Amino acid sequence: MARPSRVSRALSQNFLTDPRAAARLADIAVSDREALLLEVGAGKGALTEHLAPRCRRLLAYEIDDRLVPTLTARFSALPQVRVVAGDFLRARPPRTPFSVVGNVPFSRTSAVVDWCLRAPALTDATLLTQLEYARKRTGDYGSWTLLTVLSWPRYEWRLLGRVGRYSFRPVPRVDAGIVRIERRRTPLLTPASLHGWRRLVELGFSGVGGSLHASLRRDHRRHRVDEAFRGAGLGRGVLVGEVPPESWLRIHEVLAS
C-alpha cells in the first residue's frame, strides 16, 4: 500500500524525518535493553526504527489508520515490535514497569503527559514536545508551573535538548524540546503527606492576594508563613511562578510541622 501523501491537521502531524535526531532521542529514552517501551504516535516509523533494537518489547501506537499497514509491514520481521492501531490515550497502562517515548503531537502534549503521570507503573517518559512547553515545564525560563511543582515529589522534570523545526515534515512553526520525566525511586514526600502538599501548592497558585505570601496566609498565620519564607530564602513579594520546587518543599516542611 502506498504511503499517504497528506498529513492530518486534526491529528497535529509533524513527522520526525531527521535520523540523527531520532537516534539521539532513542539514546536518551532507553538505558535498559530489557525495557518495555510504549511509543506515542509512531507515524512512519522513523523513531520506531531506532527504538526497536534498544529494548525487549516495543508497543508502537498509531492513531492514523492510513499509516498502520505500512508501519506494520515495515516492522513485521522484528518480533519485539507490535504496532497498535488506535489512540494511545485510550490504552490501558501496563502493570509492570514501562517507559513512554515519542514525538508527541503538539496539540495533544498535555493529555499525553497527564496519562503518563497517572500510570502507576511508569518509570519514565521521554517526549519530543513544542519547545515552549518543554521550557515551561522544566523551569528553563526561570519560572515553574503548577503541574511541575505538584508532581515534583514523585517526578523529576528535565529539558535534555532541542530539535530544530526543519527536522520535521511538514515543518512546524516552532522548534521542539526533549522533555524527560522520571519517577523518583524514593519520593521526596511520604504518601500521607501528598494530600497536604497538593492543598498547599494549589493554594499558592490560586493567585488570591497578588503574591504567594498573601495566598498562603489564607490557611496559615502570618508568622508561620514568614518563618517558611525565611527558611526557603524567599522575599515576601516573590511571585508564585518564581519559586522553584526545592523552595516549595522547604515551605511545606515548615507549614506542615
Side-chain angles (χ1 to χ4, degrees):
M1 179 180 291
R3 294 183 179 181
S5 59
R6 296 182 180 181
V7 299
S8 170
R9 291 187 178 181
L11 296 177
S12 188
Q13 289 175 327
N14 295 97
F15 299 112
L16 182 63
T17 57
D18 182 349
R20 290 176 300 177
R24 180 185 178 200
L25 182 59
D27 282 338
I28 292 172
V30 189
S31 59
D32 180 2
R33 289 189 178 272
E34 291 301 307
L36 166 61
L37 297 185
L38 274 62
E39 183 184 2
V40 185
K44 299 179 180 180
L47 177 58
T48 315
E49 178 181 357
H50 293 275
L51 293 173
R54 290 170 164 84
C55 66
R56 171 179 57 86
R57 189 178 181 210
L58 173 60
L59 303 180
Y61 284 83
E62 177 50 53
I63 194 174
D64 190 341
D65 57 10
R66 302 174 304 167
L67 298 173
V68 171
T70 300
L71 189 64
T72 301
R74 180 174 179 179
F75 297 101
S76 60
L78 299 179
Q80 74 272 36
V81 178
R82 176 187 166 202
V83 175
V84 182
D87 189 349
F88 170 82
L89 295 175
R90 295 182 178 273
R92 179 175 298 178
R95 295 183 179 181
T96 56
F98 71 97
S99 302
V100 169
V101 60
N103 170 30
V104 181
F106 291 168
S107 65
R108 309 191 90 199
T109 301
S110 294
V112 170
V113 168
D114 287 345
W115 186 100
C116 291
L117 295 179
R118 290 196 306 268
L122 178 88
T123 58
D124 52 80
T126 307
L127 306 174
L128 199 54
T129 74
Q130 188 173 358
L131 182 61
E132 182 180 8
Y133 178 94
R135 297 190 67 187
K136 283 183 176 180
R137 290 294 188 227
T138 59
D140 193 58
Y141 284 127
S143 60
W144 300 86
T145 67
L146 172 62
L147 177 63
T148 309
V149 177
L150 276 177
S151 60
W152 194 258
R154 292 187 294 167
Y155 296 94
E156 181 181 11
W157 295 68
R158 291 184 291 160
L159 173 61
L160 294 183
R162 180 173 184 157
V163 177
R165 67 196 72 180
Y166 296 105
S167 293
F168 303 87
R169 293 293 183 275
V171 178
R173 295 181 179 179
V174 296
D175 292 344
I178 302 173
V179 177
R180 175 83 172 175
I181 308 170
E182 293 185 17
R183 183 186 295 273
R184 301 183 189 277
R185 293 186 178 183
T186 303
L188 302 179
L189 294 175
T190 65
S193 301
L194 291 177
H195 176 73
W197 171 261
R198 173 172 287 276
R199 179 175 175 84
L200 174 73
V201 174
E202 289 181 343
L203 176 64
F205 273 88
S206 67
V208 176
S211 70
L212 175 59
H213 193 279
S215 295
L216 295 184
R217 291 205 313 269
R218 297 181 66 204
D219 273 10
H220 304 276
R221 295 183 181 277
R222 178 187 291 269
H223 75 276
R224 294 286 287 160
V225 179
D226 287 343
E227 179 186 354
F229 270 48
R230 286 194 298 271
L234 300 173
R236 288 187 180 182
V238 68
L239 299 177
V240 65
E242 298 171 345
V243 180
E246 292 82 1
S247 296
W248 275 101
L249 287 165
R250 180 55 182 156
I251 293 173
H252 177 265
E253 180 183 355
V254 173
L255 296 182
S257 63

